[in-house]
Amino acid sequence: MLACITRATLPTVVAATPSHHHHHAHRHAKKHAAARVEKRAPDVVTEVVVGATATVFELDGKIVDAATAKAGLAEGEYIIVGETTPTFVPPPPPPPATSSAAPLRAQFVEEPISSPAAPTTTSAPPPPPTTTAQATTSSAPPPPKTSKPAQSSPSSGATGLDADFPSGKISCKTFPSEYGAVALDWLGTGGWSGLQFVPNYSPDAQSISDIITGIAGQTCSKGAMCSYACPPGYQKTQWPKAQGATLQSIGGLYCNEDGFLELTRPDHPKLCEAGAGGVTIKNDLDDSVCTCRTDYPGIESMVIPACTSAGETIELTNPDETDYYVWDGKTTSAQYYVNKKGYAVEDACVWNSPLDPRGAGNWSPINIGTGKTADGITWLSIFENLPTSSAKLDFNIEITGDVNSKCSYIDGAWTGGDKGCTTAMPSGGKAVIRYF
């Protein structure tokens, strides 16, 4: 199985604190894995970096030249089991000298030097620029829209978002919707958002080296980490202290040897907790849109739904780094995939979309990043899903509200950057990600 690695040459970065944030290192799938492990850079907070990139292919620890790799892929001899995708969103121009605005930086920046400038609130979108959307690289016509209407985020049926989960008392055969978890039935994994079988795991383990990703048709069973979704505005609380020996992320409840679900963070007895808040999606389109968060920590597939019907507003979960997942000593934020309008959740919140294989799911046109840092500032980014996808979004996006700079994607043109933009919201503020 072939691994695809995109490497970047990075210049020196000046950070406000000793903490340096970067993308995950590439990881290899186990040869006995039940599913190919398709991998991209997850939700890690990054610094401003830019440099040359090069894609290389690796087989059994050895570099394979591009021509051989591509020929093998075309013949079906290889499959790509891993991929890293470093991206860069340039900051907007610096503010005038009289302004106290903090310099904006790349997506998921974590060390703002000072508080953002006074927020600017816009009540109407700026007029569309004359620039037209760039054509896709494919000359093939777009795939037909599904005849099944897109739906809002599935109802959890939960009665106990505020209830403590009874660790070791609930059978692994029972999906814990009564404790707030949302079943993702379209994935075919018993409602779970992801399965990672860890046969050598123990609660006192320092790391986990044997990780087998579950596939459709399997469900939570002995020796598995069973990850789950939460309603919009909430996120899962469970992941073990022991993580992948080669920096894989692992998350969820643990199904013990007796077949019962155990908390992996006993100090967080509720399965779902609210994020920092302050961020909403407002859908002003005449059709629905699915925005899908990665299952992180976990299998890192974009399956957690935040779907809006036409005219609907919902909360977008905004992690607070002070009580969220830490990867390799670094705090992390959330990453979302914005699908084209009208796609049903089972065609959007998946890795491989049966409807639009190169324009939805992992190949969605646009990503959104959000996270609240320890100083109270929420950083918000919109950026193209490069180099993974060449698909183009069929609507506009802007961030409005209590933010310190304009950030929008209108008629294929960016305000606030080249291939993306970043803005910041102070503590207590409100930001709206508007689709129109």
Side-chain angles (χ1 to χ4, degrees):
M1 294 186 288
L2 195 69
C4 175
I5 310 172
T6 303
R7 292 175 175 166
T9 302
L10 309 179
T12 301
V13 178
V14 179
T17 74
S19 175
H20 293 267
H21 303 280
H22 52 76
H23 289 286
H24 278 197
H26 171 74
R27 76 172 185 243
H28 295 277
K30 292 290 181 182
K31 292 187 177 180
H32 59 284
R36 57 181 179 177
V37 180
E38 297 175 282
K39 179 75 169 59
R40 65 175 292 112
D43 311 5
V44 178
V45 179
T46 60
E47 295 170 329
V48 176
V49 293
V50 65
T53 61
T55 300
V56 296
F57 298 88
E58 186 177 293
L59 180 65
D60 293 333
K62 298 180 179 179
I63 299 300
V64 178
D65 67 84
T68 301
K70 291 177 181 178
L73 289 168
E75 295 296 325
E77 295 177 0
Y78 303 143
I79 59 172
I80 292 178
V81 298
E83 180 182 5
T84 61
T85 57
T87 59
F88 174 73
V89 178
T98 57
S99 171
S100 60
L104 293 180
R105 287 152 290 179
Q107 65 212 19
F108 311 143
V109 168
E110 177 122 332
E111 302 92 13
I113 296 173
S114 60
S115 298
T120 59
T121 302
T122 57
S123 58
T130 56
T131 305
T132 57
Q134 179 182 353
T136 62
T137 56
S138 172
S139 59
K145 294 285 183 73
T146 179
S147 58
K148 183 175 180 179
Q151 55 185 298
S152 296
S153 297
S155 173
S156 68
T159 59
L161 266 175
D162 295 327
D164 289 350
F165 184 78
S167 185
K169 304 296 184 182
I170 303 293
S171 169
C172 301
K173 297 178 181 179
T174 301
F175 185 81
S177 58
E178 293 299 309
Y179 297 89
V182 176
L184 310 184
D185 294 326
W186 65 91
L187 299 179
T189 50
W192 302 95
S193 58
L195 302 171
Q196 294 170 296
F197 294 93
V198 286
N200 297 324
Y201 169 77
S202 65
D204 58 352
Q206 298 301 305
S207 65
I208 303 172
S209 59
D210 198 3
I211 307 164
I212 305 169
T213 302
I215 60 174
Q218 294 179 314
T219 189
C220 185
S221 57
K222 295 178 183 180
M225 290 289 173
C226 307
S227 189
Y228 56 92
C230 292
Y234 289 79
Q235 61 193 1
K236 75 181 178 193
T237 61
Q238 300 303 304
W239 54 84
K241 181 178 180 180
Q243 292 286 293
T246 52
L247 300 181
Q248 303 95 325
S249 75
I250 299 172
L253 295 165
Y254 177 60
C255 182
N256 66 26
E257 61 182 9
D258 297 321
F260 290 91
L261 295 167
E262 291 183 357
L263 294 170
T264 47
R265 293 175 78 206
D267 57 336
H268 287 67
K270 294 175 177 57
L271 296 190
C272 298
E273 291 181 348
V279 182
T280 57
I281 290 176
K282 187 176 189 294
N283 182 3
D284 282 338
L285 297 165
D286 59 1
D287 210 338
S288 53
V289 177
C290 278
T291 305
C292 310
R293 182 179 176 177
T294 53
D295 179 30
Y296 180 73
I299 64 170
E300 298 178 23
S301 189
M302 51 299 300
V303 297
I304 311 296
C307 300
T308 52
S309 300
E312 185 180 11
T313 297
I314 66 169
E315 187 170 0
L316 190 70
T317 308
N318 176 27
D320 186 334
E321 71 163 32
T322 61
D323 194 31
Y324 187 51
Y325 178 65
V326 175
W327 176 85
D328 195 28
K330 302 163 186 67
T331 56
T332 59
S333 57
Q335 182 161 306
Y336 295 86
Y337 289 68
V338 183
N339 286 267
K340 301 170 191 175
K341 61 183 179 181
Y343 284 12
V345 67
E346 62 266 29
D347 295 319
C349 295
V350 291
W351 187 288
N352 293 304
S353 171
L355 173 70
D356 190 355
R358 287 296 178 266
N362 184 57
W363 289 266
S364 299
I366 294 292
N367 294 136
I368 290 174
T370 180
K372 183 177 181 179
T373 52
D375 56 9
I377 297 173
T378 290
W379 295 91
L380 297 156
S381 295
I382 313 170
F383 50 101
E384 295 181 25
N385 186 12
L386 296 174
T388 301
S389 177
S390 61
K392 298 300 173 183
L393 200 63
D394 52 358
F395 56 88
N396 301 321
I397 306 179
E398 65 175 356
I399 303 177
T400 64
D402 302 324
V403 293
N404 71 341
S405 65
K406 291 184 177 180
C407 180
S408 65
Y409 177 75
I410 300 175
D411 293 344
W414 291 96
T415 298
D418 180 15
K419 297 185 183 299
C421 54
T422 299
T423 189
M425 178 184 77
S427 179
K430 301 291 182 183
V432 178
I433 301 173
R434 178 175 174 246
Y435 298 160
F436 63 103

